[in-house]
């Protein structure tokens, strides 16, 4: 193959001068289609131009309200309607959050991400969460929340409490979304993201791969993320964790829906299309194994969820992660 054959379209320049460059699905798919070494080489180049190549940001997850969720996300062990063995727990108290924040900081994390299994918070839910945000900040950590859809005014309250990031994932492409979730739509997700952005909170927004989507649909997810204006500061790329009792685990039967190298490609394409963003190698690291994780870092991932647990499922333990980063010559950011 000649060098010319690898010349690809990049983002389209803004037509009206008001928005940033836009990626077409075709241009993103063309990146996916590159020979693997070429794709990784390009991603590594973009990574080095925008980030310290040997640094990895560490975020610790804490489930502040577990299970019993009314939504029907086909991947999620916390949806009340699926029988996954995840029971419903009340909102954690402030002392438990303080303890978790201290433990995360002592272990070397710089951010605590608090997740709640809600469609969205009611005001009586939000008040105690605001106190949690203040407490996490008082412990010297960045604070992130993922609470579902936000109503008018709620993002401003979170911002005033000191929230740094709000996580709200687009999860998959607009075309595939309706096959995974029916209790809300893509536009609902975009509206919450807009509220977060307008309030001046940093945006954490990514998705899940390995749900049975096509490569084109993965490309369409990445294009959606990259075309947010501006792109999210933080982009979590999750590999589906198949949890027994969820519709997706039943449909896929415990067999991974994609080749692990396709997951690495997704990380590389996210890195190229969102050069300044932090790309987080998120759920599914235990299942991916260390060699694939090493490829993900090489492809431009520069953040992980760090701690023995995600929200309800397992994550590599902190000693294993420290050892892995050490073996790769990577250091916490
Ligand atoms: N309820 C809120 C919401 O849906 O926005 C916040 C918590 S929800 C658990 C946060 C994200 O976790 C989801 O958007 C999804 O991307 C991810 N997630 C949930 N279950 C997962 C699974 N089994 N594998 C990979 N990612 C998952
Ligand atoms: C994100 O993108 N992944 C995290 C976090 N944001 C909230 C959640 C992963 C959850 C994996 C399944 C579980 O542990 O319940
Ligand atoms: Fe509920 Fe969030 Fe799980 Fe969907 S992903 S079922 S909204 S906790």
């Amino acid at each position: 193959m000649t060098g010319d054959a690898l010349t690809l379209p990049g983002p389209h320049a803004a037509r009206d001068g008001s928005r940033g460059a836009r990626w077409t699905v075709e241009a993103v798919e063309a990146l996916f289609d590159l020979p693997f070494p070429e794709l990784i080489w390009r991603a590594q180049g973009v990574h080095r131009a925008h980030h310290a190549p040997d640094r990895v940001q560490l975020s610790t997850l804490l489930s502040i309200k577990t299970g019993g969720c009314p939504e029907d996300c086909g991947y999620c062990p916390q949806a009340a309607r699926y029988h996954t063995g995840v029971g419903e727990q009340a909102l954690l108290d402030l002392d438990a959050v303080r303890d978790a924040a201290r433990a995360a900081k002592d272990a070397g994390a710089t951010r605590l991400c608090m997740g709640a299994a809600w469609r969205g918070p009611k005001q009586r839910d939000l008040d105690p969460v605001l106190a949690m945000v203040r407490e996490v900040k008082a412990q010297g950590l960045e604070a992130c929340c993922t609470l579902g859809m936000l109503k008018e005014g709620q993002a401003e309250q979170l911002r005033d409490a000191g929230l740094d990031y709000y996580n709200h994932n687009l999860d998959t492409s607009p075309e595939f979304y309706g096959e995974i979730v029916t209790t809300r739509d893509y536009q609902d997700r975009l509206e919450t993201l807009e509220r977060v952005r307008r309030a001046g909170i940093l945006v954490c927004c990514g998705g899940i791969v390995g749900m049975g989507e096509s490569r084109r649909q993965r490309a369409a997810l990445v294009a959606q993320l990259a075309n947010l204006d501006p792109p999210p500061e933080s982009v979590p790329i999750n590999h589906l964790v198949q949890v027994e009792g969820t519709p997706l685990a039943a449909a896929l039967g415990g067999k991974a829906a994609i080749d692990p190298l396709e997951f690495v490609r997704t990380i590389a394409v996210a890195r190229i299309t969102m050069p300044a963003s932090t790309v987080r190698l998120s759920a599914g690291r235990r299942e991916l194994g260390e060699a694939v994780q090493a490829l993900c870092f090489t492809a431009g991932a520069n953040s992980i969820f760090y701690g023995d647990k995600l929200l309800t499922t397992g994550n590599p333990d902190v000693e294993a992660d420290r050892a892995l980063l050490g073996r790769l010559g990577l250091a916490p950011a």
Side-chain angles (χ1 to χ4, degrees):
M1 192 179 277
T2 66
D4 283 355
L6 293 176
T7 306
L8 293 172
H12 281 233
R15 263 193 229 132
D16 59 4
S18 64
R19 283 182 56 93
R22 290 181 64 81
W23 283 89
T24 63
V25 176
E26 289 70 28
V28 177
E29 201 178 13
L31 291 173
F32 269 97
D33 290 344
L34 283 171
F36 189 81
E38 174 73 22
L39 174 61
I40 302 303
W41 181 79
R42 288 183 188 216
Q44 179 63 208
V46 172
H47 187 50
R48 285 171 169 271
H50 291 85
H51 304 272
D54 61 344
R55 298 284 147 169
V56 178
Q57 188 276 331
L58 306 179
S59 287
T60 294
L61 279 166
L62 176 66
S63 184
I64 56 169
K65 157 65 179 73
T66 305
C69 184
E71 302 286 276
D72 73 347
C73 313
Y75 47 77
C76 187
Q78 302 198 69
R81 66 190 73 199
Y82 310 137
H83 302 287
T84 62
V86 173
E88 180 167 7
Q89 281 169 26
L91 190 65
L92 288 188
D93 64 26
L94 195 56
D95 288 343
V97 174
R98 183 183 302 118
D99 291 349
R102 283 190 183 142
K105 182 139 202 267
D106 290 348
T110 58
R111 189 178 310 156
L112 191 73
C113 178
M114 295 176 275
W118 289 323
R119 175 173 165 84
K122 303 186 178 66
Q123 189 59 40
R124 68 164 184 275
D125 300 323
L126 196 60
D127 290 327
V129 173
L130 300 176
M132 293 175 188
V133 170
R134 287 190 282 266
E135 186 57 49
V136 170
K137 296 294 290 178
Q139 296 301 325
L141 286 170
E142 291 177 322
C144 175
C145 279
T146 181
L147 314 172
M149 292 187 272
L150 296 180
K151 292 191 255 315
E152 206 54 51
Q154 292 186 322
E156 287 74 12
Q157 294 180 62
L158 287 161
R159 175 203 60 208
D160 292 345
L163 189 73
D164 297 288
Y165 287 84
Y166 194 82
N167 166 252
H168 200 65
N169 290 338
L170 287 176
D171 279 340
T172 191
S173 69
E175 297 71 25
F176 195 56
Y177 197 77
E179 294 186 36
I180 304 296
V181 185
T182 69
T183 49
R184 55 170 189 258
D185 61 27
Y186 219 71
Q187 191 54 35
D188 293 325
R189 298 305 272 184
L190 292 169
E191 277 167 22
T192 289
L193 289 166
E194 189 49 43
R195 290 191 168 136
V196 170
R197 181 56 84 198
R198 270 205 312 264
I201 298 170
L202 298 171
V203 172
C204 175
C205 181
I208 309 178
V209 298
M211 297 196 292
E213 74 285 348
S214 63
R215 175 175 275 186
R216 187 171 177 84
Q217 288 166 334
R218 280 188 287 283
L221 165 66
V222 174
Q224 281 285 336
L225 296 169
N227 290 338
L228 291 174
D229 189 24
E233 282 75 18
S234 166
V235 181
I237 305 292
N238 297 275
H239 188 278
L240 175 68
V241 180
Q242 291 189 35
V243 179
E244 215 181 307
T246 60
L248 276 173
L252 299 169
K255 199 175 160 294
I258 54 166
D259 178 342
L261 296 182
E262 183 71 9
F263 184 81
V264 180
R265 283 182 185 271
T266 311
I267 296 270
V269 170
R271 165 51 65 227
I272 293 168
T273 55
M274 294 171 273
S277 304
T278 299
V279 175
R280 182 174 307 121
L281 164 55
S282 301
R285 288 198 295 120
R286 267 199 335 191
E287 296 75 6
L288 288 169
E290 296 195 335
V292 175
Q293 291 183 61
L295 281 172
C296 290
F297 293 124
T298 310
N302 58 348
S303 172
I304 56 171
F305 284 125
Y306 176 70
D308 300 355
K309 215 172 164 196
L310 292 165
L311 291 173
T312 66
T313 65
N315 198 39
D317 59 42
V318 297
E319 287 76 21
D321 274 344
R322 286 204 191 113
L324 177 62
L325 293 181
R327 279 161 66 208
L328 297 174
L330 300 174

